[in-house]
Every structure is written in structure tokens, then in C-alpha cells.
Amino acid sequence: GKMAGIEVGDVRDQQLLSHDARTRLDDFFSRQVSGYKGPMTVKQFQGGQSNPTFLIITPNKKYVLRKKPSGKLLPSAHAVDREYRVMSALHQAQFPVPCPYAYCADPSVIGVEFYIMEYVEGRIFRDPKLPELKPHERRQVYEQAIRTLAHLHSINYNKIGLQAYGKAEGYFKRQYQVWSRMYQATVTHPIPSMDKLIEWLPSSVPDTRAEHSSIVHGDFRIDNMVFHPTEMRVIAVLDWELSTIGDPLADLAYVTMIFNFPPSPQGLAQDSGVGGVEDELGIPKQDELVKMYLHLRGVPPIPNWHVYQAFAMFRIASILQGVYKRAMQGNASSQTAKETGLRAKIFADKAVEIVERAIGTIHSSSSSPQPSSSSDVPSLFAPSPRVQSLMKEVLLFMEQHVYPNEAVYAAQHASGAKWAIPPIMEDLKAKARAQGLWNLFLPKKHAPLELLKRLDISGGRSMGGELTNLEYATLCEIMGRSPIAPEVFNCNAPDTGNMEVMAMYGTKEQQERWLVPLLEGKIRSCYAMTEPDVASSDATNVQMAIVKEGANYVINGKKWWITGAGDPRCKISIVMGKTDPTNTSRYKQQSMILVPMDTPGLTIVRPLEVFGYDDAPHGHCELHFKDVRVPEGNILLGPGRGFEIAQGRLGPGRIHHCMRLIGVAERALEMMKARAKARVAFGKPLSAQGTVRTAIAESRIEIDQARLLTLHAAHSMDSLGNKLARDQIAMIKVVAPRMACQVIDRAIQVHGAGGLSQDFLLAMAYAHARTLRLADGPDEVHLETVAMLELKRAAQGTQTSSTSEMDKAAALLSTLDPSPQDMLELYGLYKQATTGDCNTTEPQGDPRSAAKWGSWKGRQGMAQTEAQAAYVRHVQGMKRHADGTNSKL
């Protein structure tokens, strides 16, 4: 039959009580339970996989007995004495639990410890879909469950005598140790997702502080509650075996776990849930219940909810594996234990899916981190051991600190002043700097090394200047996966480009005043070039007037789309304008000048929106300059050098944008795959739909193509310089934003209407990716650059940018450290060898160029093929000089 909705039957053979045991039990009842009158009839509840539970029926009353299982048990498991203790304390505090009557620690009575409690008449709902109720009643059941949970967590455990019931701090660390050990002690077959969780969880679970701890039930769910026979209210919470003192959000994650599973065809399976059918059933959605709980408790939003959810599933998977192992040994208390235990893998797989949907692929710390792609990238651009080590550190930092705090950043921004910086950002920056993950973008060839030596931050690690563009590219991709990550590592635009400009072209005074605080992350900056009244994709159109008056420059004009200008920490702007509008060379009319943001006459007129996003608190602003006066010492490099600086600035910055876009696209693809596996339409998962599978495949292809092209461009910049790599740079500036827009758009489509909402980062990511098809120059400008170079090569009869021998020479060059004289020699030879151009203008980017220019100028008349051979010979000579041998290329 059934009692309160639970199957009750005869005592099963393994737990059968002998006649002598029943006699001793009857004697114990007579002595310890007030009002007891026999004889007793014993039945066993069929539910419960852990502590066997029995119904004791007497002529005038029913009781419930819970005992330890018989047989060999794991240490500290099945502690019925703790159940009795916590229920006694909670009953005194008037929390709804059955009245506990007596506890027996003497195994001589029935062979094991046990306790006796009240039998509570009421309803227990075994199926989370609540088929026996009406829709409005289903909502009431779930809401009452959350109210009961909030009540439990609001009880001061110190005041009811439970101060020693568990440690108040480090709950998840302890729980991880308990359940990982239990799982490892009961493993019967490999479960790869459990192995993955065991490795990932220790560095990801929250560190619960004492003041945030409460009584934790440990198995809080709908079917562990007794509801009033006729009213929708909880009258008893059952099964306190796993209770302790700890993080209350563990219970919240556990009770809402069913929202992560669709209904099971079998109805009452352990993994049967209500995910995807809430509206149909009239059940509140998970987010609604979580918000209700937070409101009742008066606590802030949960930043790393996916960690709590994953841990809840990891724990139930460990429990189910233990059930399965006991069933194999013949010790389980349920006849369906074998079937139930086999479901451990289902929970572990779902936990990994939830984590990877939130933060991307879980990377194993026991192996070298690899790009997210399935391609053969490592064999083409294998990271050095140093970069592999940095990748591990950055990946770990992202998983521990960045992904969990994306929601915190959003919540703080939403609750505070619109243009104020969320406090969590400065906290994360401090952590990254303390770990030495700081200014990783700054190329070593441009780094002001003496300056950086004064700013060492962690264990002697420099504040930048250690990596090449190629080495940084993979790290930049990882950072690009989160909208807040680049700033956390002080690798965010436009500061990265501005810091490079000051490092390359700034005077010592300019570097001390502005570069040092930028490197330290104390201030931010902006770059003002685009103007509202001209087509700024052609930088020679810039009209802002920079006029010399005595020892000052006076600036007048308008700028717009100035990223970062709205940030309250933005203290300096690099402004491009015309100092010599009548110069016959269109490329020597412009200059760049440093303008402090608090200079009189400089006004932030308004923030501009991209598809409705104003990107506060950083913003893209319109600036007006009216008689803005700055000292002549603020000019960068010198009058008329602005166009040259602009071209030098855009090279690395373009690599950074492209690699970040690849990171965004990878995360969008991971979200697409997770959504496709989790959603069902027209009778089958989206992942089984042909159009969705095509979208996934095309996205993988496009991401890997873009990554390879970007890494090749980074390599060319390192080995040949930004100017000679301009065709590769132009190509990636077309390919990467287009690719990201396409991948994100597909992810939005798979997410349906949700993909357009603020619940996912996809809409914001699309707006950002679409912006970058204009922000660093429109596609058309970059396509024109590629076409121009291709046609020039065709006119000279060359097929590619270099011959096979020149490719080898370029690869060799990347291992050498050319002198200034060699670099200028190679510049001219390479220029002529690849383009046949004998009229190359003098390079202006290196202050040493004027003195060294004549070293190759007289050789311009040579034929293109001769120039190619000369280039190769020159690199060979450098190699022989470097190693003192006659080694050949």
C-alpha cells in the first residue's frame, strides 16, 4: 500500500528483523516512547536509497524508525545520530520537522543504531511534474518549498545549540573532499565527466565565510517534504542525513536541479525534471524561484550560479555511484538501487554541460592547454613552454575569477550610477596584477625596459615587454571570451594601443606622466581620430585644427566614437589633427598630441549607442574641442608625424581585436552547442536537426580559418615588421569580424528569442563584433589594400608576397635579433623583392632611419629577382654572424 504517497511493503530480506530483535525493539519503545502501546507491526518504506526507513504501526498510533544499513559502510556515512540531533533542535525552534521521540546507540537492540520519530500524516509528491495537482497548485508547491528553505537558512544555528554541528567555513572544500573520496572509493566503471569535475571543482568552488553559513539540509527537494493533507503548506521536512553547517546556496542549487533536466519518459526516474515544460505545467521557472529565495533572504545575486549547480549534480552523482556499488555488494536498501546507481553518469554529464555553457570548455590542468579549435593549430604555431605556462595561468584565472564575476559586474553596474566603475573590476585587477598576469600585450620590441624594471609586480615578473605578437595572440583569444577580461589583465583597448604609442614614440617626460599610470592600471585613456563631419576611414580627411601659438598648441574641432572617453578614470586622450594643412604631402599634414581630459575647452557632449548599447561605464563619446590649449611638449614624435604613428599603432591593435573576436566566437559556438543539446523541437534535440548541425560545422570551419590567418599575420609582424605585414593585417581585419558576426548570428538563431535578450551575452557580442567592421577602418579600405598589393605583384610578374627561399629567410629572421642597420637594409630589400617598388619613400617610423637610409638606397636600381636573392643572402649573413659558423639556410 501507500502512506503519504510513499510505497510501503513487507520488510525486505536483507533488513528482516528477527523475533528476538522485535521483542527488544518493543521493550525499547515501552521504555523510551511516551504513550506507546503494542503490539507493533513493521512495514518498510520502499523509497530511500540510503538509511532504511520503517513504518511502525500500533493499535492507536504510527511511528517511523530510521536505522543505519547493515553490512560494511563507508566511514562517517549514515550518521543517524546527527539526523536525530538536528531534528530535535529544529523541532524546538518550531521549524516543520517530525517530532523526534528517541535515539538508540545500542546495537544490541536491532543490530545497528536507530531513532524513532513521529509519523506525519500528509502528502508527499514524488513526481516533480505534480500531475495530481492543478497548475496554480503546482506553483504554490514550489513557492512553499522555497519559503521553507529560506526559513531554514534564516535560523541562527548558534542559538538552537548547533554551533558545533559543523564547521562554519570552507563548506565546499570539505564537501568536495567528502564526495570525491566517496566516488573514488565506489568506482565500478569509468565516468569521464566525473573525472573532469574532480579536477575542475577544487579551484572553482566558492570559499564560504562563517557569517554567510547556515544550517544546510543537504538533500532538500520536493519529495523530502510532507505537505498538509488539504492545504498547500509544508508541515514536515524529512531525511536530514546529509545536514550540516555550510553554504545555504548549496540547498538552493539542489532543489532547483530538476530544472536542468527534461521530464523523463519513465516519470519517476532520478533525472526526471521539469526543464522546458514549466509554462505548460504552471510551475515557476528556475530564475523566478532563485530570485524569490534571494528576496526572502535579503541577499545579493549569485555570481557563479553555474558552480553551485554543477556541484549539486556532482554530489548526487557521487551518491548514486555509492548506491550502485552497495547494490553490487548486496547492501543497498532499495530494490531499484542498481538501476538508480547507473544514473550517476547522467548527472555528471549534465554538470559538465552546465559549466561549459557558462564559461566554455573545462580545461584540464594536467595537460598543456590548447586552442579551443579542433584544428591542427599547435603543429603550425606551437606555443613555447613559457607561453604554455602563461596559458595555464590565464585559463585558471578566468575560471576562478572572471567567469564567476561577470554576473557580479553586471549586477553592480545595474544597481549603481551608470557611469561608475563596478567595484568588482578593481578587485579583479588587483588579483591579476598580484599574480603577474598584467600588460601581457606589450611587445618586447617596443617595451621601455628601463621603465618596466621599476614596475616589477610579482616574483620579478615584468609589467610587460616579454612576449611577441604571436606569443600574445593565444592569450588574447582566451581573454576575448569574456567582455570584462581584457581590462582585468590591463590588456584592454584603447589603452593597449595608446600605451604602445607612448612606449614607441613618447618622450621620457610623457612616459613618466601618462605611460606609468596606464601600465599600473591606475588610469585609462582614449584615442580621438574619427570626426563626424568627414569620412574618417580616410585618415587624411581629418580636419581638427592644431595650431601653434607660442609655447602651446591650440586645438579646435569635433571628434566622435571615442571609445573609453566616458570612463571616469579616463585622464588622457591621444588626439589626431592637422598642424600643417598646406603641406604638399597629404601624409605629413597630421600630428598626434596628448590632451588631458580635464583641459578647459574639452567637452564630452554625449555617449553614442551601438544598436541601443551605450557601453557604459566606458562609452563611445562625441567630444568637442574649443580653444583647448596644451603645451608644445605634448606633441608626439614631432609635427607632421601623426599619420606615421597611426599606421604603427593600428598593427598590434588589429591583432588584438581579431584574437579577442576569435575568443568571442569560440564562446558563442560553445553556447550554440550546449543549447542545441539541451533543447528539443519537433520531437528531437536541436543537435539532431540538420540545419543546426550545419551551423555548428560552418562555425568551426570559419573560426579555425580566421585563427590561422591571424596567427600568420602576428608571425609576419614579428618577423617582418608591421609595415611589411600590412597585407596580412588587412586580411584579418576583414575576415575576423565577418566570421564573428556570422558565428554569433548562428548562435542567436539557435537560442531563439532568448538569444536577443539580456539573459545571454550574444546580442551584446554581436553589436561589438559588428562595430569592429568599422572601428579600425571599414572592410572596403582593407579590401582595397589587399587588392592594391595583389595587383602590384601581378604587374611585376610575382605570384605571391615572397618566394619559397624568402619564406625560409623570413622564418630564420624571426630567430635573430637584427641590428638597426640590418633592419633598414632588410626593409628596402624586402620592399623591392616583394613589390618591385624602386620608389619607396623613406621610412619614418624609426628615429635612426635618416642617418641609416643611405645604406641601401643606392641599391634600388637592382632587378626584383636580384633583390630577392640579396634579401636571402643578407639574412644568411646575419645567421652566420650570430652563431659564428658557415651554416647555410
Side-chain angles (χ1 to χ4, degrees), residues 135-294:
H136 75 278
E137 293 175 323
R138 294 170 188 150
R139 170 173 284 274
Q140 291 175 350
V141 165
Y142 278 87
E143 289 179 345
Q144 285 301 311
I146 294 300
R147 292 184 186 279
T148 303
L149 185 63
H151 179 190
L152 172 66
H153 294 162
S154 299
I155 295 173
N156 188 327
Y157 58 87
N158 290 308
K159 292 183 178 180
I160 62 172
L162 294 177
Q163 58 268 30
Y165 192 63
K167 295 180 181 178
E169 296 179 339
Y171 170 78
F172 276 108
K173 300 292 185 184
R174 297 194 308 276
Q175 287 287 300
Y176 168 79
Q177 292 173 353
V178 168
W179 298 113
S180 59
R181 283 200 300 264
M182 177 175 286
Y183 170 73
Q184 289 163 344
T186 58
V187 169
T188 55
H189 56 282
I191 304 179
S193 50
M194 281 297 282
D195 296 336
K196 209 170 196 180
L197 290 168
I198 285 174
E199 186 166 355
W200 177 78
L201 280 168
S203 62
S204 303
V205 293
D207 187 11
T208 310
R209 295 185 300 204
E211 61 269 26
H212 296 153
S213 295
S214 73
I215 301 170
V216 173
H217 180 277
D219 194 16
F220 195 88
R221 60 190 192 209
I222 297 292
D223 59 335
N224 270 337
M225 286 172 257
V226 180
F227 282 77
H228 189 277
T230 60
E231 301 173 13
M232 287 303 170
R233 60 185 176 89
V234 178
I235 57 175
V237 178
L238 311 176
D239 200 353
W240 293 85
E241 178 190 357
L242 301 176
S243 61
T244 186
I245 304 300
D247 193 321
L249 296 180
D251 277 344
L252 182 62
Y254 196 81
V255 73
T256 58
M257 184 167 54
I258 57 174
F259 291 87
N260 296 313
F261 291 94
S264 169
Q266 289 78 29
L268 300 182
Q270 282 281 156
D271 57 315
S272 179
V274 295
V277 296
E278 300 96 327
D279 292 338
E280 175 186 339
L281 298 174
I283 293 171
K285 292 184 181 295
Q286 183 185 58
D287 288 349
E288 186 179 346
L289 293 176
V290 171
K291 288 177 182 177
M292 178 183 177
Y293 171 88
L294 298 178

Side-chain angles (χ1 to χ4, degrees), residues 73-94:
L73 302 176
L74 292 171
S76 76
H78 311 281
V80 294
D81 59 323
R82 287 177 56 83
E83 288 188 47
Y84 183 78
R85 178 184 173 190
V86 70
M87 290 174 63
S88 298
L90 288 171
H91 187 261
Q92 291 295 321
Q94 299 185 345

